[in-house]
Amino acid sequence: MTIRLLIVDDDPLVRAGLTLMLGGADDLEIVGEGADGDEVPGLVARHAPDIVLMDIRMPRVDGLTATERLRARPGAPEVVVLTTFHADEQVLRALRAGAAGFVLKDTAPAEIVAAVRRVAAGDPVLSPAVTRRLMTHVAGRPEQPRSAVAADRLTRLADREREVAVAVGHGRSNAEIAAELYMSVPTVKAHVSRVLAKLDLNNRVQIALLVHDAGLLDDAGDGAGDDAAAGGRPNG
């Protein structure tokens, strides 16, 4: 399957570099380029990309606004935000808007190609470790109003779905969650799909952010799942 890419960046040198870098992969096709966020709706309608690589800072409509508008539309392509990681709050806003993740502009070419393939396969660009570090670095403790809203949204979940959501928040992979909660990997995938549907979320990164906002990660670090499993019985 060929992955169709749209590149949106106001710097022509960046666009040229990405086109050269990504166009060399047999399974990737650059179907269009844009120089500003206001061009995104028309370009998406014209080229039907699978993934949009979106710069953050652009002169008329920034990439964050363009991402929010695009991801609010049904059947929208996935968005991967291009960033220098200096604007942390902007990265967090992009993830909340439904971006599948982000890549640094100075990332090695092979890693960018791998990231695009992962997003096309339905996985966020962020590795579990990076997801956890990003939330810790950017978000800090959730604001009280946001925390209350997030906690209320999580009441839609059944107990087992909630446990899976918290494990996603701790950056666990499906295999790790399966071992931790004594499930099969297909069962974990089914729970994740139900969590996404019930909470009207786009991807695992948004699950992790919502769980963080609800304050469910405050009392445990990355080893929380291991500590819980050490109790000698399944969680829940």
Side-chain angles (χ1 to χ4, degrees):
M1 182 185 73
T2 300
I3 303 167
R4 298 169 59 83
L5 301 177
L6 172 65
I7 298 173
V8 183
D9 194 297
D10 65 332
D11 188 334
L13 292 179
V14 171
R15 295 199 305 273
L18 288 169
T19 298
L20 180 64
M21 178 193 313
L22 299 172
D26 293 338
D27 57 340
L28 305 183
E29 178 186 1
I30 310 300
V31 296
E33 297 182 13
D36 201 276
D38 62 357
E39 301 176 22
V40 171
L43 290 170
V44 168
R46 188 177 312 126
H47 299 294
D50 300 306
I51 296 173
V52 179
L53 294 179
M54 186 91 73
D55 187 23
I56 288 182
R57 295 184 178 181
M58 292 182 283
R60 295 188 299 275
V61 174
D62 64 81
L64 301 178
T65 300
T67 296
E68 290 170 342
R69 293 174 179 173
L70 180 62
R71 292 299 299 168
R73 298 167 53 185
E78 297 289 354
V79 175
V80 176
V81 172
L82 297 168
T83 178
T84 57
F85 198 57
H86 295 309
D88 296 334
E89 291 294 341
Q90 292 180 331
V91 173
L92 183 61
R93 179 182 160 196
L95 297 178
R96 293 191 190 283
F102 69 94
V103 293
L104 305 181
K105 287 188 176 180
D106 59 357
T107 298
E111 293 180 20
I112 294 181
V113 171
V116 168
R117 288 170 175 158
R118 284 182 56 191
V119 171
D123 295 324
V125 169
L126 305 176
S127 68
V130 172
T131 300
R132 176 68 185 183
R133 187 168 66 247
L134 176 67
M135 288 189 300
T136 300
H137 178 65
V138 175
R141 294 185 60 84
E143 299 174 2
Q144 190 59 37
R146 176 171 283 166
S147 177
V149 170
D152 182 66
R153 289 182 69 185
L154 290 173
T155 61
R156 305 175 193 174
L157 303 180
D159 289 345
R160 209 58 164 160
E161 293 165 350
R162 183 184 177 94
E163 290 176 346
V164 170
V166 172
V168 170
H170 283 298
R172 306 288 191 259
S173 67
N174 286 341
E176 291 169 335
I177 295 172
E180 212 170 89
L181 300 182
Y182 298 86
M183 300 177 180
S184 67
V185 171
T187 299
V188 173
K189 291 181 179 179
H191 279 307
V192 171
S193 295
R194 284 196 290 271
V195 169
L196 291 170
K198 285 186 176 183
L199 301 179
D200 193 26
L201 300 175
N202 289 291
N203 53 50
R204 294 169 72 100
V205 175
Q206 287 189 322
I207 294 176
L209 290 170
L210 186 66
V211 170
H212 171 272
D213 286 348
L216 299 183
L217 307 184
D218 289 350
D219 298 327
D222 283 342
D226 297 334
D227 293 339
R233 60 181 180 86
N235 292 347

